[in-house]
Amino acid sequence: MEETFFILKPDAVKRGLVGEVLHRIERRGFQLTRLEQCQIERTTLEKHYSDLVDKPFFPSIADFMMSGPVIIGTLAGVGAVQAWRDMLGATDPAKAQAGTIRGDFALGAEPGQSLKNIAHGSDSLESARREISIWFGE
Ligand code: DAT
Ligand code: MG
């Protein structure tokens, strides 16, 4: 059984899509193993996105991710890491296939702004372990 980490980003919370996304997680047969609402702190976000901190668009990501409450959690199931990434779809919502979470609910970004793509998912088992330890201190 694999476990992966997710964030329902501020756009999902503001647009009332939390229930919809959690429903998709449960319907797929994943178990919700942790679930918490929080306001992201900059130091945590910088650890989480350590590979993006030096990118020119990082300030816009930080503004967006700290613009309101988020839901953080973990889900478990067979092949959970890749299955959750597949459910999310492409990073850029404009390129995400219909049927994926980003393809169904997210919109294109304004130039110079962060992509607002509803949810995060760890991109590998190693990232999942790392992110669970960052966000839940385990
Ligand atoms: P993913 O979230 O699909 O793993 P990522 O790790 O490359 O994608 O980037 C993290 C987040 O940063 C992404 O969900 C949205 C934002 N982002 C990535 N690339 C961007 C870009 N070129 N311009 C604006 N925001 C971007
Ligand atoms: Mg990523």
Side-chain angles (χ1 to χ4, degrees):
M1 205 63 123
E2 255 175 50
E3 203 167 40
T4 192
F5 172 74
F6 68 84
I7 304 175
L8 308 186
K9 299 185 182 186
D11 55 338
V13 176
K14 278 193 190 110
R15 293 175 54 200
L17 294 170
V18 171
E20 169 72 40
V21 177
L22 293 181
H23 181 55
R24 288 189 180 211
I25 290 172
E26 292 192 304
R27 201 173 60 180
R28 182 73 190 265
F30 291 129
Q31 280 181 345
L32 286 164
T33 41
R34 297 179 188 76
L35 195 65
E36 201 173 285
Q37 178 164 327
C38 71
Q39 179 73 43
I40 296 182
E41 286 173 22
R42 187 173 295 271
T43 51
T44 313
L45 191 72
E46 285 174 356
K47 271 188 226 159
H48 174 79
Y49 280 142
S50 57
D51 55 333
L52 298 177
V53 166
D54 297 326
K55 303 268 188 205
F57 54 82
F58 186 76
S60 69
I61 294 179
D63 284 348
F64 166 56
M65 293 296 286
M66 300 193 304
S67 67
V70 299
I71 307 288
I72 58 173
T74 56
L75 56 86
V78 176
V81 172
Q82 191 56 50
W84 175 237
R85 291 285 293 187
D86 292 345
M87 284 171 70
L88 287 175
T91 302
D92 181 348
K95 298 188 178 130
Q97 304 249 347
T100 64
I101 289 165
R102 289 163 171 174
D104 286 351
F105 301 118
L107 302 166
E110 319 255 335
Q113 285 196 3
S114 174
L115 298 168
K116 296 181 176 61
N117 57 10
I118 308 288
H120 164 81
S122 310
D123 61 11
S124 67
L125 201 49
E126 191 193 348
S127 299
R129 293 204 185 99
R130 181 180 158 272
E131 291 170 9
I132 291 167
S133 125
I134 291 171
W135 292 90
F136 291 102
E138 293 163 26

